[in-house]
Amino acid sequence: MSAGTSPTGNASLGATSRRCVAAFSILLAGLEVTHDGYKALMPPIALRNQRDRFRVWAGNLGALQHGRASLDFRLRESSLMRITVLKLLTQLKDALIKSNEVVQGLRLPLEKQFSDQHWEDSDSSEDDVGQERSQCRTHQRTELGQNMLEITQAISALFKLSFKIRNPSTRSTTQSTLRALLFKQMIQVDEATTVDLLTAYADFDVAHIREKFRQMRCASTDEISDDYLVERWGKSVTNRRRFFGYWKRHARKLAQETEEERLRNEQSLSAHPDVFLANTGTALEGMFANTLTGNRETQSTAGETILSATEGTAYDRKLDDDVDMQSVISYTSTAFSHDGTSMADLPQPPRTETGQAEFKCPYCWVVCPIRHAKGKHWREHILQDLQPYMCTYNDCPDPDAMYGTRQAWLSHEAQTHRKVWRCFEHTVLFGSPRALKEHLETRHPNLGASQIQTMIDLGHATILDDRSVCPFCLSEQPFEQKDLISHMASHMKSLALFSVPISAQDKDDESMSGKSNSSGAQGGGGRSVDSLRSVALDFPEEVVGNDPDEETPATARTSKVINGHKSGVWSLAFSPDGRQLASGSNDKTIKLWDVATWQCLRALKGHKQAVYTVVYSNDGSQLISSSADNCIKVWDVATGKCLRTLAEHEGKVLSIALSKDASGCRLVSCSADKTIKIWNMVPNSVKSLGTITTDHDGDVNSIVWLDYMNIRVASASDDHTIKIWNTITGECEKTLEGHTDWVREVVASKDGKHLYSISNDEMVKKWDLETGECVRTIVGHTAWVLSLIASPDGTKVVTGGKDKVINIFDAQTGMTVETLEQHNGSVLSLAFSPDGKLLASGSVDKTIRIWDWEERSEHREAA
């Protein structure tokens, strides 16, 4: 058996890959002149699609390269991965060769060798549906049809392995990072001078960051000229430019041989078509010999350029445990695991098409599964490319280090800057092991040296970040992003975006993105059923429902804009008679608006921090509000006076709700202090009825009554859970688990049988209150879902997100009915008028928008 035919032999991955390229070329040449029967079973356009996909795969990994840039070099320390890739390449090559034997007429296909029935016979009496099914069965029962399926599956499996081999999340090794930081983009200034363009950018980058800081702080340039963060982030922008440039150059080097191979094969076929069509065996051997010999002798067309200094990063053998050796088709890929940051203002994913299985990222130049071009997967991917997070402390020993995930950044700051040592008996904290050692030796003289050392080794911990002022904008809490960490992360992402290369969108780069090489493989027109049958990579989806990046019906709904607040609008509520709208803002005020004229009737001032919730009493005479100042206030709507202040919570009062009965005399509140309080709203007073100390492991963000008996409430928390409480006994009846990030808000359905919830995990979930099971997960946002409401008739669920979008879902099916996109910031609050004719939305952009719900609904039904 010759080398390259046995997966366990010493065959080169490069040589086998080049044999596959040659076999594709020969088979395509044969299909051009064969009869229509064979073309129907193996359409040339479908095969060409798969050839182009294979070229993209080879270019992504350097499979056609020699030396240190080759796939053989990359997998030099992983025999398991190497054997797996070689097995698939051999499977692909054998399927191509066997197909060519049939197409060239060297032998009959297997179905004709073992059957007397002519493969073109069909039952003419079948109807169209029957003929289509018969044709599909014929394809499956023919050798060429099976070979086409095997070719498609083998290439899909190769792509799955490539996602593991060149996983962007594992490329931040010391060696590859140093190479990237040393990258130079040389340009010719004159005949004798070349300069590094990125070095020239450095001063400009620092000046840009200085101006951004000046704008954030509303300060003069002199006040921020010596700020360590300005220099650090200015340098990081230039470093990111080097990373993007290095990845692009590396991709060009890996893909360079693919184009050379294509030209060589086309020239060989054009020059000697009769030779290839006359004898398949001789043609293949000749093509292989020409390819292998030519590639060894031919120098790179680039000569001794910077492209020749590319080396494939060694594959991490620890990932071999995930390789399935039982089936050559069911290989799996690792998934990225990043923090739940939003899509707002991040670079948009590349355009993809229906049926596309993979794409090349225009920033890191790595081929990725198609799901990484959508929703939170794209957000995680682009953040990994941007590495936006950096240390915010002045005395950092590694100030230029960049992190692709929030967890890595926070871990660095905690372990490097907030690490303390503690005594097993005393509460005092020590800043170093030496200080703890001196304490133990002085205060605990009975301890031996080995015991002291053990306590030092085990006595370290990290403390929480107790800073109350953002080091970037110097603003104080509370922040619109809720906490300092999220607030700083937002600044870092905004600053990092300045380094995104504009050339990623240039038409000149289309060939590198795979557009010219694989337009067919990437979902181009003219695809046959056979070419699409198994082309998709079968990655499991986490949820069912709408694709967050599917186009939704364009809205024709218009909105009226109300301006008046100086900061984001956190809360909205219509009065019971529908004549007023109340809005609570981050500017610490509540405003009452006349629905007829949309003029501000009065402003209610008294809260010292952001107003999170506003609720009208059932008779509309009073307004109840909750705030970040730990207080609940009751206001007289007619006069605007504060009637009473409830200050029993020890943390921000994040949500309040009035009971669902006719009297509306029960008020429930939840807080960052992890408690729920129940109040009795009697005339002229408010009486506390009790406190539920919850077992939530995080802030309690939202509360809602579930029945008209004023017994059960549901709470949502930062700990990713929803809990159902009995307010009489104080016991937790159920815990609803399914979200993977903060649960922001919960709303009960009109019939009281279901609960809707929204989360930072970008999901909307519908829960069965009787069983506690999640009955539907709805996908529609590409960032945190921040606001939620159900329509008065119970038929629609409306959500607002950090992606600036309002989505309207059908309550029964979970399908997107409409998308509203007119806000210029996160949508923080929503409210329906009692008659359901108006929808109000509040945003970080400081505006309230009023949408005519009834008019648009009637228009849609009429259409």
Side-chain angles (χ1 to χ4, degrees):
M1 182 176 293
S2 62
T5 58
S6 173
T8 59
N10 297 320
S12 160
L13 296 176
T16 310
S17 298
R18 287 186 284 275
R19 287 185 170 94
C20 289
V21 173
F24 265 118
S25 298
I26 297 170
L27 181 55
L28 281 168
L31 285 172
E32 293 297 329
V33 296
T34 192
H35 56 73
D36 293 342
Y38 287 151
K39 288 182 181 179
L41 295 174
M42 184 173 279
I45 189 172
L47 187 65
R48 195 172 295 111
N49 289 341
Q50 299 310 315
R51 178 203 61 186
D52 291 345
R53 289 185 71 215
F54 182 75
R55 283 175 173 168
V56 172
W57 173 85
N60 181 52
L61 294 177
L64 303 177
Q65 287 280 352
H66 297 282
R68 302 177 72 84
S70 67
L71 181 58
D72 287 290
F73 181 80
R74 190 187 296 273
L75 301 183
R76 62 193 181 278
E77 296 181 357
S78 175
S79 57
L80 174 60
M81 180 60 78
R82 183 183 178 281
I83 289 172
T84 304
V85 174
L86 186 58
K87 184 176 182 181
L88 287 168
L89 288 172
T90 303
Q91 174 186 335
L92 174 62
K93 175 177 66 67
D94 291 345
L96 291 167
I97 292 175
K98 291 175 182 177
S99 299
N100 195 63
E101 291 174 351
V102 175
V103 170
Q104 300 292 339
L106 300 180
R107 64 173 176 83
L108 292 174
L110 294 178
E111 70 272 13
K112 290 205 65 179
Q113 294 182 34
F114 300 104
S115 175
D116 294 334
Q117 182 179 0
H118 197 277
W119 59 270
E120 291 182 338
D121 290 344
S122 63
D123 186 357
S124 59
S125 64
E126 290 183 307
D127 57 18
D128 291 341
V129 175
Q131 289 179 8
E132 183 177 350
R133 292 176 179 173
S134 177
Q135 184 181 25
C136 182
R137 289 194 298 269
T138 300
H139 282 219
Q140 294 174 349
R141 294 173 183 174
T142 60
E143 182 179 0
L144 288 182
Q146 285 296 318
N147 287 349
M148 189 67 211
L149 181 62
E150 189 172 351
I151 290 168
T152 302
Q153 291 177 331
I155 295 174
S156 293
L158 285 169
F159 267 109
K160 288 185 181 181
L161 293 183
S162 79
F163 304 149
K164 180 185 294 293
I165 295 169
R166 287 202 70 198
N167 191 329
S169 66
T170 63
R171 69 171 165 234
S172 57
T173 61
T174 301
Q175 188 178 24
S176 62
T177 299
L178 287 175
R179 287 201 197 101
L181 291 176
L182 292 174
F183 171 76
K184 295 182 179 181
Q185 186 174 336
M186 307 303 295
I187 60 171
Q188 194 80 28
V189 178
D190 52 42
E191 294 182 359
T193 308
T194 59
V195 297
D196 176 21
L197 182 61
L198 298 181
T199 299
Y201 269 132
D203 292 340
F204 174 70
D205 290 338
V206 172
H208 169 78
I209 295 299
R210 184 177 293 112
E211 175 62 18
K212 293 287 288 185
F213 271 75
R214 188 191 67 77
Q215 294 174 2
M216 283 190 290
R217 299 178 182 180
C218 299
S220 67
T221 304
D222 293 339
E223 291 180 85
I224 61 171
S225 58
D226 297 328
D227 196 300
Y228 69 96
L229 290 179
V230 172
E231 297 299 324
R232 185 178 299 176
W233 254 265
K235 184 177 180 181
S236 74
V237 170
T238 307
N239 286 341
R240 288 187 185 90
R241 295 187 194 277
R242 296 193 186 279
F243 275 101
F244 286 127
Y246 172 78
W247 294 334
K248 183 175 180 179
R249 184 197 69 180
H250 186 68
R252 287 188 182 276
K253 178 62 180 179
L254 292 179
Q256 185 177 3
E257 188 115 1
T258 303
E259 183 66 14
E260 294 175 0
E261 197 69 34
R262 183 182 67 82
L263 293 173
R264 183 180 295 108
N265 291 339
E266 290 179 355
Q267 290 168 1
S268 300
L269 285 172
S270 299
H272 308 286
D274 297 335
V275 175
F276 291 112
L277 298 180
N279 188 302
T280 302
T282 303
L284 283 175
E285 292 302 321
M287 174 67 81
F288 293 160
N290 175 64
T291 300
L292 296 175
T293 304
N295 282 342
R296 290 194 186 99
E297 296 175 354
T298 304
Q299 298 297 320
S300 170
T301 57
E304 294 298 325
T305 68
I306 200 168
L307 286 178
S308 61
T310 296
E311 178 176 318
T313 303
Y315 168 71
D316 186 355
R317 286 184 295 172
K318 295 178 182 178
L319 300 177
D320 283 342
D321 294 338
D322 294 331
V323 179
D324 179 5
M325 290 299 294
Q326 302 302 317
S327 169
V328 298
I329 299 303
S330 60
Y331 300 100
T332 59
S333 168
T334 56
F336 295 125
S337 178
H338 299 295
D339 60 289
T341 45
S342 86
M343 282 286 290
D345 300 324
L346 290 178
Q348 293 301 305
R351 179 172 298 179
T352 58
E353 302 178 16
T354 304
Q356 186 170 336
E358 54 275 331
F359 74 102
K360 182 173 285 187
C361 173
Y363 303 102
C364 67
W365 300 90
V366 172
V367 173
C368 306
I370 193 63
R371 67 189 179 114
H372 283 185
K374 299 181 180 181
K376 67 176 182 179
H377 297 292
W378 171 251
R379 181 197 63 224
E380 293 166 354
H381 179 93
I382 196 62
L383 286 177
Q384 186 69 47
D385 289 347
L386 277 173
Q387 301 178 82
Y389 305 108
M390 297 179 69
C391 182
T392 58
Y393 287 87
N394 190 9
D395 57 344
C396 182
D398 192 11
D400 298 328
M402 298 184 295
Y403 306 98
T405 66
R406 180 184 295 198
Q407 289 86 346
W409 158 52
L410 294 178
S411 176
H412 160 80
E413 290 198 341
Q415 294 297 325
T416 305
H417 301 284
R418 298 198 300 274
K419 194 171 183 179
V420 295
W421 284 259
R422 56 193 175 188
C423 173
F424 66 95
E425 183 175 324
H426 299 90
T427 58
V428 63
L429 300 176
F430 303 91
S432 67
R434 175 182 292 183
L436 176 59
K437 182 179 180 181
E438 292 176 354
H439 168 82
L440 293 174
E441 290 174 343
T442 303
R443 302 293 300 275
H444 303 277
N446 58 323
L447 296 176
S450 61
Q451 291 175 310
I452 290 177
Q453 186 58 48
T454 300
M455 291 181 180
I456 292 174
D457 293 339
L458 299 177
H460 62 82
T462 59
I463 58 176
L464 296 175
D465 191 342
D466 59 358
R467 293 177 290 181
S468 60
V469 177
C470 170
F472 292 91
C473 64
L474 302 184
S475 61
E476 297 183 4
Q477 295 196 40
F479 306 111
E480 290 183 350
Q481 286 82 7
K482 191 172 184 179
D483 56 28
L484 176 65
I485 299 302
S486 298
H487 181 78
M488 290 192 297
S490 178
H491 283 312
M492 286 189 249
K493 287 181 291 179
S494 176
L495 295 173
L497 286 172
F498 187 61
S499 59
V500 173
I502 298 176
S503 61
Q505 306 299 329
D506 289 349
K507 293 182 179 180
D508 294 341
D509 293 327
E510 287 178 354
S511 60
M512 282 301 299
S513 68
K515 186 172 181 180
S516 63
N517 281 350
S518 60
S519 59
Q522 303 279 354
R527 287 169 148 242
S528 69
V529 174
D530 285 346
S531 70
L532 289 173
R533 184 154 46 192
S534 298
V535 68
L537 299 175
D538 51 346
F539 288 95
E541 292 294 333
E542 292 91 337
V543 297
V544 294
N546 294 324
D547 188 327
D549 291 314
E550 269 188 16
E551 292 187 4
T552 52
T555 176
R557 193 189 299 272
T558 58
S559 63
K560 178 174 181 59
V561 181
I562 302 175
N563 294 289
H565 283 292
K566 297 179 181 179
S567 190
V569 182
W570 277 105
S571 51
L572 292 168
F574 278 94
S575 61
D577 59 9
R579 295 180 180 180
Q580 285 185 11
L581 174 69
S583 59
S585 171
N586 197 55
D587 64 12
K588 310 174 188 178
T589 69
I590 301 167
K591 290 183 181 290
L592 303 182
W593 307 89
D594 187 317
V595 171
T597 64
W598 295 116
Q599 298 298 310
C600 181
L601 298 173
R602 59 186 54 86
L604 312 183
K605 298 180 180 180
H607 280 298
K608 297 178 181 179
Q609 298 292 344
V611 181
Y612 286 143
T613 316
V614 287
V615 179
Y616 277 94
S617 62
N618 277 11
D619 61 6
S621 64
Q622 296 180 345
L623 185 77
I624 307 102
S625 61
S626 71
S627 169
D629 62 9
N630 304 357
C631 294
I632 300 170
K633 288 183 179 291
V634 182
W635 308 83
D636 185 288
V637 171
T639 65
K641 293 182 179 180
C642 179
L643 301 177
R644 57 191 58 85
T645 298
L646 313 177
E648 294 191 18
H649 278 293
E650 296 179 0
K652 301 174 183 178
V653 186
L654 299 171
S655 179
I656 54 176
L658 277 174
S659 56
K660 302 174 70 173
D661 62 333
S663 64
C665 62
R666 290 289 188 271
L667 178 74
V668 63
S669 60
C670 64
S671 167
D673 63 13
K674 304 178 184 178
T675 67
I676 297 171
K677 292 183 180 292
I678 299 95
W679 313 82
N680 188 29
M681 301 285 293
V682 297
N684 302 320
S685 69
V686 180
K687 181 180 179 182
S688 176
L689 297 180
T691 299
I692 299 174
T693 302
T694 73
D695 56 353
H696 276 301
D697 189 21
D699 295 359
V700 186
N701 296 318
S702 180
I703 196 80
V704 62
W705 289 100
L706 298 179
D707 56 54
Y708 287 88
M709 302 298 293
N710 304 336
I711 296 177
R712 299 164 71 228
V713 295
S715 62
S717 170
D718 282 359
D719 65 8
H720 309 178
T721 69
I722 302 162
K723 293 180 181 289
I724 310 301
W725 303 91
N726 186 308
T727 60
I728 306 299
T729 64
E731 295 180 351
C732 178
E733 297 180 351
K734 288 186 182 70
T735 298
L736 314 183
E737 298 179 310
H739 283 294
T740 58
D741 209 328
W742 295 350
V743 185
R744 289 277 187 172
E745 194 168 356
V746 284
V747 168
S749 64
K750 184 178 181 180
D751 59 12
K753 297 180 180 179
H754 296 94
L755 188 73
Y756 296 98
S757 62
I758 56 173
S759 167
N760 281 9
D761 63 11
E762 304 173 9
M763 306 297 179
V764 183
K765 289 184 178 289
K766 183 178 181 179
W767 307 85
D768 186 310
L769 287 174
E770 183 176 351
T771 64
E773 298 295 323
C774 177
V775 295
R776 178 171 290 110
T777 297
I778 304 171
V779 179
H781 287 279
T782 58
W784 298 348
V785 192
L786 303 175
S787 50
L788 168 72
I789 196 169
S791 61
D793 61 5
T795 62
K796 302 293 185 296
V797 178
V798 185
T799 59
K802 195 169 184 180
D803 53 10
K804 311 175 187 177
V805 169
I806 299 171
N807 279 328
I808 302 167
F809 302 101
D810 185 281
Q812 292 298 319
T813 66
M815 298 303 294
T816 303
V817 175
E818 192 174 347
T819 298
L820 311 177
E821 302 180 74
Q822 294 182 23
H823 275 296
N824 295 318
S826 304
V827 182
L828 302 174
S829 52
L830 296 164
F832 267 110
S833 61
D835 59 7
K837 294 182 178 180
L838 298 177
L839 171 67
S841 59
S843 170
V844 167
D845 64 15
K846 308 176 188 178
T847 69
I848 303 168
R849 286 185 177 270
I850 307 298
W851 311 85
D852 193 321
W853 181 265
E854 185 179 54
E855 176 185 351
R856 176 63 177 152
S857 300
E858 290 175 352
H859 173 76
R860 185 169 53 251
E861 290 171 1

